[in-house]
Amino acid sequence: MCGIAGFFDADASFLSNEEQYQILLAKMGRTLKHRGPDASGTLLCNRCGLAHRRLSIIDITGGAQPMSKIYSDYHYHIVYNGEIYNTDDLRHKLTTLGVHFKTTSDTEVLLLGFIHFGPSFIQDVDGIFALAVYDERHETLTLFRDCFGVKPLFYTQTGNTFVFASELKGLFCYPGIAPAVDSNGLNEIFSLGPAHTPGCGVYKNVHEVLPGSYLSVSRAGVRETTYFRLESHPHEDSYETTIATVRELLTGAIRRQMISDVPICTFLSGGIDSSLVSSVCAGELKKEGRQLKTFSFDFTDNENYFQSNSFQPSMDKPYAAKMASYLNSHHTYLECTNQTQADYLLRSVKAHDLPCMADIDSSLLYFCEQVSHTHKVVLTGECADEVFGGYPWFHRESMLDCGTFPWTPTLAPRKSLLNADFANTLRMEDYVKNAYDRAVSEVDILPMENETETSRRRIGYLSIRFFMQTLLNRMDRTSMNTGLEARVPFADKKLVSYVFNIPWEMKAKGGLVKNILRQSAVGLLPDEILFRKKSPYPKTYNPYYENLLSARLKEVLSDESSPLLPLLDRTAVQKFLDNPKDYGQPWYGQLMAGPQMTAYLLQIHYWLTEYHVTIL
């Protein structure tokens, strides 16, 4: 994994002021050092500049970037962030054409694939990636992003110059690009947040390359091409064949994603998703006489305060212990204090350059930092619930037919804390409805499906397109903030495409949540884990944490210089802080309830202040 950045202008002469632009490239790279602490590199051409930060995982000695190749006397250059899982297959395809390789890196395979097949080569690539290729001959910069947006890639334009970076902070290094938000950006924060509209960078005139797309930037302008999208098809496999196919696709994805020249580990919560990933990894390593290292997370003294509810019925620790014993893994329990969790709220904002998932994000940032002390690569169980229908909104009729994003069924908790004039100016309901309608219009509906099946297909698509992206962003920023590469086998494009079309009567046969996944895992997990009721990522129920957040937000309310104050109803917020919080009524997803609302407002205050955000 790495960080990439750069700029392009078809009318520029960057080499005429080489020192200035080399300094600028180095600065853009330094802002992304956390993504790639092992090495750095820059390249400057007359029309284009590229910067790279490297986290060395594959071909540690031969994969330096930017990487360049000469073909027919013309130069081609690449910077790349990600991991390709079918490198050997792609290399073989190129070798049969007489192509020769100088390294074993996937970077070289990507560059030579582009040179020999053009941008459409990306359709054959299996992996997680964000990459930029500059073709000097045609003075064209091409940006690619993986199918589900596991790896980030932002861009904007200032004058005639196109600027891109793995993270938003990289863009702000370029002269003339400053953090500013208009009403659309504010709606992304207050109405949709922490989710965001696909392709939206929140800041004014900032965008993100859409998952499954590539951009071609040249003198003719910017052209977007979609190379992958979820398609709806009738599912014709039998129940037994479906189970076998899911098992084959998932275990194959896990095995492919174990590729690394450095040791791997897994996150192990004791739920079916992470346990299944860990089980396959442990089995593969055992064949080589090696032991898998696993990590689980919780909060200090959480066993004394845990409150079971419909969204979080049980604690993870007992199940993680049973699973670690079953796997004979080298297991480490990591705990986060409430003080650390609160303090890392601000670091989370810096990791995203935006408010994010509050303490759901800050705690994972801390845990990833601890894991990064000993490992560079981790496999996770992220994305299984979006793909296999594990969330309550797939099962509860009131959520299934709510006519909006089911993880935010009402804007009332948000609006109640905002200044009424500000909220009215945003027209929050209209913004959300427009975003929802646009997303739903992308779904291919099958005529033979009844209304309930159609609703579930739409919810499945929205969960993958919107909700999963929020969690992938969280996983990328929290892991890469300290140079840890997180891989997500459940986001494999063949697996997701197949499962998307499995009918609900199979997915949840007999009313069993994620039935198809559970049946495909028979024999890989003990039944106690295999049929455990879903319990999401842990959060603290310690009242000390709630009181700590409340005290901090009250300080903000008393700070007349805070840019957040004009946006809030101070009286409503004060009343909210003085009352006990409801932990079982989320305002976003499953976990973000009362305390997380307080934490989110603290993040917004810090973001507006620290980034000197201009509100337009």
Side-chain angles (χ1 to χ4, degrees):
M1 290 300 172
C2 307
I4 65 174
F7 45 81
F8 168 81
D9 186 338
D11 296 316
S13 299
F14 293 127
L15 291 177
S16 65
N17 201 342
E18 183 174 359
E19 182 178 2
Q20 174 188 336
Y21 286 103
Q22 285 286 11
I23 291 172
L24 178 56
L25 283 172
K27 182 180 179 182
M28 295 176 77
R30 281 196 303 273
T31 65
L32 304 173
K33 182 178 180 180
H34 51 278
R35 299 186 68 91
D38 295 334
S40 65
T42 61
L43 181 142
L44 187 67
C45 307
N46 215 26
R47 308 283 193 238
C48 181
L50 302 174
H52 186 264
R53 293 295 316 194
R54 188 180 186 205
L55 180 67
S56 303
I57 291 174
I58 299 291
D59 192 0
I60 295 173
T61 59
Q65 298 183 49
M67 182 178 286
S68 301
K69 293 287 181 182
I70 300 175
Y71 184 76
S72 297
D73 296 325
Y74 290 97
H75 290 78
Y76 302 82
H77 316 282
I78 185 173
V79 285
Y80 151 60
N81 163 34
E83 207 68 62
I84 306 306
Y85 305 129
N86 64 335
T87 299
D88 289 344
D89 293 339
L90 297 173
R91 183 182 287 110
H92 176 73
K93 183 177 181 179
L94 287 163
T95 301
T96 60
L97 299 177
V99 177
H100 298 285
F101 293 86
K102 294 183 178 180
T103 75
T104 60
S105 71
D106 49 5
T107 308
E108 186 179 22
V109 171
L110 291 172
L111 181 55
L112 289 172
F114 177 89
I115 292 171
H116 287 273
F117 297 111
S120 63
F121 88 100
I122 205 68
Q123 297 178 50
D124 295 329
V125 176
D126 174 20
I128 53 178
F129 53 82
L131 62 115
V133 178
Y134 179 56
D135 171 355
E136 282 197 36
R137 180 178 189 174
H138 300 99
E139 295 185 340
T140 300
L141 175 71
T142 309
L143 305 182
F144 300 86
R145 194 169 180 214
D146 64 65
C147 294
F148 298 110
V150 179
K151 294 289 102 185
L153 189 54
F154 296 94
Y155 68 93
T156 188
Q157 287 190 251
T158 175
N160 294 324
T161 304
F162 182 96
V163 186
F164 69 91
S166 293
E167 295 181 8
L168 291 158
K169 57 177 62 68
L171 302 181
F172 299 139
C173 291
Y174 201 93
I177 301 175
V181 291
D182 57 14
S183 61
N184 289 336
L186 291 170
N187 265 303
E188 293 288 324
I189 297 297
F190 288 101
S191 304
L192 290 178
H196 299 304
T197 304
C200 176
V202 180
Y203 295 97
K204 178 72 172 176
N205 296 327
V206 174
H207 312 279
E208 198 169 10
V209 177
L210 284 168
S213 299
Y214 62 85
L215 297 183
S216 298
V217 190
S218 67
R219 188 177 300 278
V222 179
R223 187 182 78 249
E224 179 182 66
T225 302
T226 299
Y227 70 86
F228 173 86
R229 64 184 296 269
L230 279 178
E231 297 178 348
S232 300
H233 302 289
H235 185 77
E236 299 177 348
D237 289 349
S238 69
Y239 180 62
E240 292 74 17
T241 299
T242 299
I243 292 171
T245 302
V246 168
R247 184 183 179 109
E248 179 182 356
L249 289 172
L250 179 56
T251 56
I254 296 169
R255 292 188 183 101
R256 288 195 303 278
Q257 295 193 25
M258 292 178 67
I259 182 173
S260 174
D261 290 341
V262 297
I264 68 165
C265 64
T266 66
F267 291 163
L268 178 62
S269 70
I272 181 177
D273 311 330
S274 63
S275 296
L276 182 51
V277 171
S278 297
S279 179
V280 174
C281 289
E284 291 299 303
L285 291 178
K286 187 176 181 180
K287 296 175 184 178
E288 304 171 5
R290 294 192 288 161
Q291 184 182 32
L292 176 67
K293 292 187 177 181
T294 54
F295 294 86
S296 63
F297 315 137
D298 210 335
F299 299 96
T300 304
D301 298 327
N302 211 26
E303 65 275 7
N304 298 327
Y305 300 100
F306 178 76
Q307 299 176 21
S308 177
N309 57 62
S310 61
F311 287 94
Q312 199 160 30
S314 60
M315 294 185 66
D316 284 338
K317 190 170 184 178
Y319 295 92
K322 291 173 183 176
M323 195 63 206
S325 176
Y326 177 81
L327 297 175
N328 189 32
S329 65
H330 182 282
H331 190 68
T332 301
Y333 296 96
L334 296 174
E335 288 191 336
C336 181
T337 67
N338 296 140
Q339 186 75 43
T340 298
Q341 186 181 17
D343 291 345
Y344 272 54
L345 286 171
L346 308 186
R347 283 192 54 178
S348 294
V349 174
K350 295 298 287 285
H352 287 260
D353 304 306
L354 291 168
C356 49
M357 293 188 74
D359 48 50
I360 312 303
D361 199 287
S362 66
S363 55
L364 186 58
L365 179 63
Y366 171 75
F367 291 134
C368 286
E369 181 181 65
Q370 302 309 302
V371 175
S372 73
H373 294 328
T374 56
H375 287 78
K376 287 186 175 183
V377 180
V378 60
L379 273 70
T380 82
E382 203 75 77
C383 303
D385 289 311
E386 293 87 342
V387 175
F388 286 92
Y391 291 120
W393 45 81
F394 285 96
H395 306 270
R396 299 180 185 176
E397 188 172 338
S398 61
M399 303 181 80
L400 189 63
D401 298 322
C402 64
T404 188
F405 299 110
W407 46 86
T408 307
T410 175
L411 294 177
R414 304 162 181 246
K415 291 187 69 174
S416 67
L417 303 180
L418 298 180
N419 177 291
D421 291 338
F422 171 65
N424 291 335
T425 299
L426 292 184
R427 301 178 63 184
M428 297 170 70
E429 287 85 0
D430 290 345
Y431 191 88
V432 172
K433 185 180 187 304
N434 289 336
Y436 175 79
D437 289 346
R438 285 196 304 271
V440 166
S441 71
E442 299 172 1
V443 186
D444 297 328
I445 300 303
L446 297 183
M448 75 281 293
E449 290 181 338
N450 61 34
E451 291 182 6
T452 301
E453 278 292 299
T454 297
S455 293
R456 284 205 174 95
R457 181 175 293 281
R458 285 173 173 155
I459 291 295
Y461 182 86
L462 292 174
S463 294
I464 293 169
R465 185 72 160 166
F466 260 83
F467 195 76
M468 190 168 88
Q469 186 65 70
T470 309
L471 298 183
L472 288 173
N473 288 344
R474 166 178 169 256
M475 183 58 70
D476 175 82
R477 305 311 190 281
T478 56
S479 59
M480 292 304 295
N481 192 254
T482 50
L484 176 68
E485 174 181 310
R487 299 178 181 175
V488 280
F490 282 102
D492 175 80
K493 65 179 178 180
K494 290 183 179 179
L495 174 68
V496 176
S497 296
Y498 184 79
V499 176
F500 180 65
N501 287 296
I502 298 175
W504 193 250
E505 62 187 20
M506 290 187 186
K507 282 182 182 174
K509 186 177 182 179
L512 182 61
V513 177
K514 292 160 63 174
N515 169 70
I516 282 290
L517 178 61
R518 297 180 197 276
Q519 301 304 330
S520 72
V522 169
L524 294 173
L525 304 174
D527 285 353
E528 187 174 6
I529 303 295
L530 187 61
F531 296 103
R532 179 191 174 194
K533 189 174 181 180
K534 175 178 172 54
S535 189
Y537 180 83
K539 67 177 181 180
T540 184
Y541 293 85
N542 191 333
Y544 171 79
Y545 179 67
E546 179 183 326
N547 294 334
L548 180 61
L549 295 181
S550 294
R552 293 185 178 184
L553 189 53
K554 286 178 180 178
E555 289 182 12
V556 172
L557 294 179
S558 65
D559 179 5
E560 297 297 335
S561 67
S562 169
L564 178 62
L565 284 193
L567 312 182
L568 298 180
D569 180 332
R570 200 180 310 198
T571 301
V573 174
Q574 185 69 53
K575 183 178 179 181
F576 169 74
L577 295 177
D578 290 339
N579 291 324
K581 307 299 182 294
D582 190 334
Y583 287 79
Q585 293 293 324
W587 55 273
Y588 179 81
Q590 303 175 93
L591 297 175
M592 297 184 71
Q596 286 68 44
M597 179 69 80
T598 307
Y600 192 59
L601 290 176
L602 284 169
Q603 287 193 322
I604 295 173
H605 162 75
Y606 179 77
W607 167 63
L608 292 171
T609 305
E610 180 70 15
Y611 282 74
H612 305 288
V613 178
T614 300
I615 297 179
L616 302 173

